[in-house]
Amino acid sequence: MGTHRTTLRTITAPVVLGLVLVGLWQLLVSRAGWPAFVLPAPGDVLVRLGNDLSGPLLWRALGLTLIEALGGCAVGLLAGIPLAVAIHESRWFSAAVNPFLGATQAIPAIALAPLLVLWIGYGLPAVVLLCALMVFFPILVSALLGLRHVDPEVVDAARMDGAGRASLLAFIEGPLALPSALAGLRNGFTLSITGAVVGEMVMGGNGMGQLLTVQRDQVDTVGMFSTLFALCTVASTIYSLIRHFERSLRLEDSRPLRKASR
C-alpha cells in the first residue's frame, strides 16, 4: 500500500505542478500581450512540438545529443570512479589531489571549449570530452562520499571473516556506495546534456545545440521552445529512471536491516 501511494505521488505531483506552470504561462501571455516571437503561447508550442515529433529532424538531433551526453557520462565514470577509489584508499594521494580537484571547478567548462577545439578539433570527440569534464566532478564526489560513509562495523566484520582489501571493495564497499555513485551520475547526466548542447553551439555538431542555433538565427521562438521542451522531457525521463533505480537499490540495502531489527 505504501509503495502504491509513493508511486502515485511520484507521478501525480509533477503532473499537477506542470499544469500549474502551464496555466501561469498562459496567464502571463494573455495579460502581457507580448508578440509570439518574445513569448509564444503554450498551445502554439504544443502544436509545433507535435509537428516536430512527426518529422525526422528533431529525432535525429536529439539522438546525436544523447549520444554525446551518454559518451561524456561514460568517460566521466571511467575517470571518476577509479579516482574516487584511489582517494579513498590512500590518504597521501587524497591530500595531493584534493587542492587540484577544487581548482578545476573554478574553470568554467565553456572556457575550455576553444582549447578542446585546438587540441582535438571540431565535432563529436570534443563535445564528448566537454561533457565528461562537466560530469566528472559530481560523479567523483558522490562516489567518494558513498565509500566514506560505508558502515565501519560492516567493514570490520568482513575483515574478521578474512576479507582482503580487494574483496572489501568489490563485495562490501562498492555495492554499498553504488546508490551514492548513481546519485552523482543522475545529477551529472543533466550537466552532460547541457555540455552537449553548449558544446555543439561552440564547437559544431548536428544535435540539439545546432538546431537551437538555427532557430535562434531565424528568430523562431516557438521552435526554440519546442526544442527545449523535448530536450527537457528526455533529460527528466532519464533522470527519473536513474533515481528510481537508485531508490530500489537503497530499499534492497535496507531490507536486511529491517529484518535484523525485528
Side-chain angles (χ1 to χ4, degrees), residues 198-218:
V198 173
E200 289 170 357
M201 289 180 169
V202 177
M203 297 181 288
N206 297 310
M208 300 292 272
Q210 179 65 25
L211 183 58
L212 285 169
T213 300
V214 172
Q215 292 169 340
R216 178 200 63 193
D217 294 341
Q218 296 176 349

Side-chain angles (χ1 to χ4, degrees), residues 84 87-88 90-91 94 98 143-152 177:
I87 293 174
H88 175 65
S90 173
R91 293 182 180 179
S94 175
N98 277 338
L144 185 58
L145 286 175
L147 289 170
R148 288 180 173 174
H149 284 81
V150 172
D151 191 345

